Amino acid sequence: YNGCTDENALNFDAEALCDNGSCVFGDEVVSDLEEDLSVFETVEEEQDYSMSFDGIDDYVEINTEQLNNFSLTASFNLSSIDNGYSQSIIQHKANCSRGGGYIIGEDNGYLRWVKQWCGECSSSSCGNAVNHTNIIEIQANQWYDLALVSNGFDKQILYLNGNAVDSIENPNSFEVYGVQPITIGKWHDGNTVEHSNIKINNVSYFDFELTSDQIQSYISCAPSASEEGLVGYWNFEEGTGSTAYDQTA
């Protein structure tokens, strides 16, 4: 959980994993009794919310520019798997048939990665696509940390729980098509529309390639929303409602 991780603070919590900005130091203690007591009062543990999708009609779309050099991270938990159709975890592509971009999802209990660069939309199939199935087995009702990183010229790497599990090495695949929706909770490719029974948390989008060490660091502690190069960050801490706010805005 989160708390004060500075050993010099009065309220240092040795069990806290990530700092939540609650540290109080000696020079901040004032003589007024009421203020003294407020310094030492127990800080309520922060709630860690996620966004839940019902597999029927729930989804989120975030319009943002496709980048050649980027990193996308998210935590996910599939409530059911192997439903007889592919469930999207997250996609960044035009919603039309063979829309340019990628989809990362689950199919038959395994991670699946589809990438297409036939143009922003294509009315017929073309050879500019990859469809990687059976990447790694995943289980229902278990949280996973996903990351997709691109160096912008010849390689994209897919990570699960901090480990590289797949890659695409094709310099011709790095076409981008302007502003396109990041879609969460729905596999949408033309007439193929399937909703996902899934929980999602801590979606972040960077304009550079994260290193494996940085990916591991963000698994342990989510972004603060002030990092340089962080284009968007959705932590779904609203608790209720139907709107998710970009914490970098």
Side-chain angles (χ1 to χ4, degrees), residues 67-70 149-156 171 174 209:
L67 302 172
N68 276 322
N69 192 352
F70 72 89
V149 302
S150 170
N151 66 10
F153 58 91
D154 69 353
K155 190 172 186 178
Q156 294 186 349
F174 284 81
E209 178 189 14

Side-chain angles (χ1 to χ4, degrees), residues 94-110:
N95 288 333
C96 49
S97 295
R98 287 167 289 278
Y102 59 84
I103 309 173
I104 302 169
E106 174 270 335
D107 185 76
N108 293 319
Y110 286 83

Side-chain angles (χ1 to χ4, degrees), residues 79-183:
S79 300
S80 60
I81 60 173
D82 197 10
N83 295 328
Y85 58 88
S86 294
Q87 296 187 92
S88 173
I89 298 166
I90 196 165
Q91 67 177 54
H92 193 186
K93 64 179 287 296
N95 288 333
C96 49
S97 295
R98 287 167 289 278
Y102 59 84
I103 309 173
I104 302 169
E106 174 270 335
D107 185 76
N108 293 319
Y110 286 83
L111 201 62
R112 180 183 179 188
W113 180 14
V114 177
K115 183 168 175 58
Q116 303 167 143
W117 60 101
C118 298
E120 183 174 359
C121 300
S122 177
S123 59
S124 60
S125 61
C126 75
N128 297 336
V130 293
N131 179 18
H132 290 187
T133 59
N134 299 328
I135 295 172
I136 188 171
E137 189 173 9
I138 51 180
Q139 305 294 325
N141 300 308
Q142 180 173 325
W143 280 101
Y144 294 93
D145 293 290
L146 182 78
L148 176 64
V149 302
S150 170
N151 66 10
F153 58 91
D154 69 353
K155 190 172 186 178
Q156 294 186 349
I157 304 174
L158 187 63
Y159 290 83
L160 192 68
N161 293 341
N163 300 310
V165 294
D166 199 8
S167 64
I168 295 174
E169 300 183 42
N170 185 337
N172 296 322
S173 69
F174 284 81
E175 293 187 24
V176 293
Y177 304 99
V179 175
Q180 301 293 343
I182 292 177
T183 305

Side-chain angles (χ1 to χ4, degrees), residues 181-192:
I182 292 177
T183 305
I184 305 170
K186 179 175 69 170
W187 187 293
H188 195 169
D189 189 70
N191 293 327
T192 301

